[in-house]
Amino acid sequence: MSAAPPVVVPPPPVSVVGIGADGWSGLSGGAREALREAEVVIGGARQLDLLPPECAGVRVAWPSPLRPAVPRLLAEHRERRIAVLASGDPMFYGIGRALAEELGPESLRVLPHPSSVSYACARLGWPLEDTEVVTLVGRPASRLAVSLHEGRRLLALSADASTPATVAALLTSHGFGPSRMRVLEQLGSEAEAYAEGVAETWTHAPGDRLNVIAIDCRASADALRLGAVPGLPDEAYEHDGQLTKRHIRAATLGALAPAPGELLWDVGGGSGSIAIEWMRTHPTCRAVSVERDPARADRIARNADRLGVPGLRVVTGPAPSSLSELSELDVPDAVFIGGGLTAPGLLDACWEALRPGGRLVANTVTLESEALLAERYRAYGGELTRLAVAHAVPVGGFTGWRQAMPVTQWSVRKPSAAASLPASAPVPGDRT
């Protein structure tokens, strides 16, 4: 008779305890019990110092950088009862996300505390559901720019005590100097404090590093209006003429149809306008802009930073050779080709890299590239469109129309079982 298989006892769930600036006194009974029973308590040094002696477990401070250390520390103590301390709500820009990704949600017991955002809205009387939150912890302050609209209420989660001054300078440089700012420090503790002022005249010295910045957005009279949909004014971009103009850009983004979490390859980036406005449609949208000219690549990065999407990745190099390394990292949901259509193998490389169901959009103004797109349209369908825009301009004492160069656009969706595109002979004269 064979022996029964050994019973595998799963390790105890990890307790993730949110703690505020009020420390032990602000915790619920369940949170206190979890910390008392823990054999190991992991957290930031400041959070661990908030615990009383009755929490007798071994205290382990997170190293820096934190994220790479998560798997090692959890594995080291996994057979013991672990409690992890988090600031406020662990699942709101907190360590809870990393723990859920590492262990799975079923291995966690999350005990949240009111977040700094909840406290801030309570103090300000702002409805939480109508307040946009932007974290600047470990992220560039420039990402706040995409959220600047007249009348909006924003909460910025500060990286440290210097963040309010940085935010005030950013608001002023983007035409939102009249915005009212309130810095709320040590929310939930007896040491709560706040400072108030206007961005363009902000002179407060740095205060506590634990702070949240409340912003009532007010634009100056001469601020450039940047809407929430694609088609930003051309003057929003630094460029050398290589810019997909406003009306064509809006039509192109409509064909690309960005959705949350999707990845775009912008091939022949120029000034980066297509990739930038793709990313501005939702905070989780991602993009890579491929540009062969180093000066233009640098310009794309500056445009992305100024327009609130500093996470845009810029790859400097010719296409299609620059695309091979990208294919190994992530599969694009959409590809836009704004230049270099006639480069040998470019269209094929983009099509092959595209995920099934993904979208490809290509624009051109040359007859040579237009012939190539017409050939692909006959073979693979999609939509072939001629986009023409005219602007009213003075003609003597009257007004007439000035026609811009028409743009031919091919947009197509890759089927689930896609064949290769038919090969075409290269045609000289197009920009990569």
Side-chain angles (χ1 to χ4, degrees), residues 89-100:
D89 186 342
M91 304 309 297
F92 186 73
Y93 293 112
I95 190 63
R97 175 175 182 167
L99 296 174

Side-chain angles (χ1 to χ4, degrees), residues 144-298:
L144 188 65
V146 76
S147 301
L148 299 180
H149 300 285
E150 175 68 29
R152 288 291 288 164
R153 289 170 168 175
L154 309 177
L155 287 178
L157 307 183
S158 285
D160 53 38
S162 68
T163 305
T166 300
V167 167
L170 182 142
L171 291 170
T172 303
S173 68
H174 283 72
F176 282 80
S179 299
R180 180 187 183 190
M181 287 176 52
R182 281 169 282 185
V183 179
L184 298 91
E185 301 175 351
Q186 288 283 345
L187 284 165
S189 76
E190 295 180 356
E192 267 195 32
Y194 81 95
E196 182 176 352
V198 175
E200 60 194 359
T201 57
W202 188 263
T203 56
H204 293 281
D208 194 275
R209 62 178 298 274
L210 292 179
N211 70 83
V212 175
I213 307 168
I215 306 166
D216 284 289
C217 293
R218 294 291 180 268
S220 60
D222 58 349
L224 182 65
R225 182 176 177 84
L226 303 180
V229 298
L232 299 183
D234 292 347
E235 54 266 37
Y237 293 94
E238 177 189 349
H239 64 92
D240 61 358
Q242 290 295 330
L243 173 72
T244 302
K245 299 302 190 290
R246 180 178 195 174
H247 299 90
I248 303 300
R249 193 183 326 127
T252 300
L253 268 296
L256 287 166
E262 289 192 325
L263 171 66
L264 170 75
W265 285 4
D266 177 14
V267 182
S271 300
S273 61
I274 296 295
I276 289 169
E277 296 192 27
W278 167 282
M279 291 183 68
R280 282 175 60 95
T281 62
H282 194 272
T284 62
C285 283
R286 300 165 295 141
V288 179
S289 188
V290 180
E291 171 55 54
R292 70 173 182 179
D293 184 274
R296 287 177 180 159
D298 290 342

Side-chain angles (χ1 to χ4, degrees), residues 17 24-37 55 111:
V17 180
W24 183 256
S25 64
L27 295 179
S28 67
R32 293 183 184 185
E33 182 182 5
L35 290 169
R36 288 191 193 102
E37 293 181 348
C55 297
L111 302 165

Side-chain angles (χ1 to χ4, degrees), residues 43-120:
R46 178 186 61 81
Q47 296 161 339
L48 293 171
D49 287 342
L50 297 173
L51 301 183
E54 62 193 90
C55 297
V58 176
R59 303 185 185 191
V60 179
W62 289 115
S64 181
L66 184 153
R67 187 61 180 88
V70 170
R72 176 181 59 80
L73 284 181
L74 290 176
E76 185 177 337
H77 302 288
R78 194 66 186 99
E79 300 307 316
R80 308 169 78 182
R81 290 191 301 275
I82 300 174
V84 176
L85 287 173
S87 295
D89 186 342
M91 304 309 297
F92 186 73
Y93 293 112
I95 190 63
R97 175 175 182 167
L99 296 174
E101 291 173 352
E102 187 66 30
L103 298 176
E106 67 282 353
S107 297
L108 302 180
R109 179 185 176 223
V110 180
L111 302 165
H113 186 278
S115 68
S116 59
V117 168
S118 294
Y119 275 123

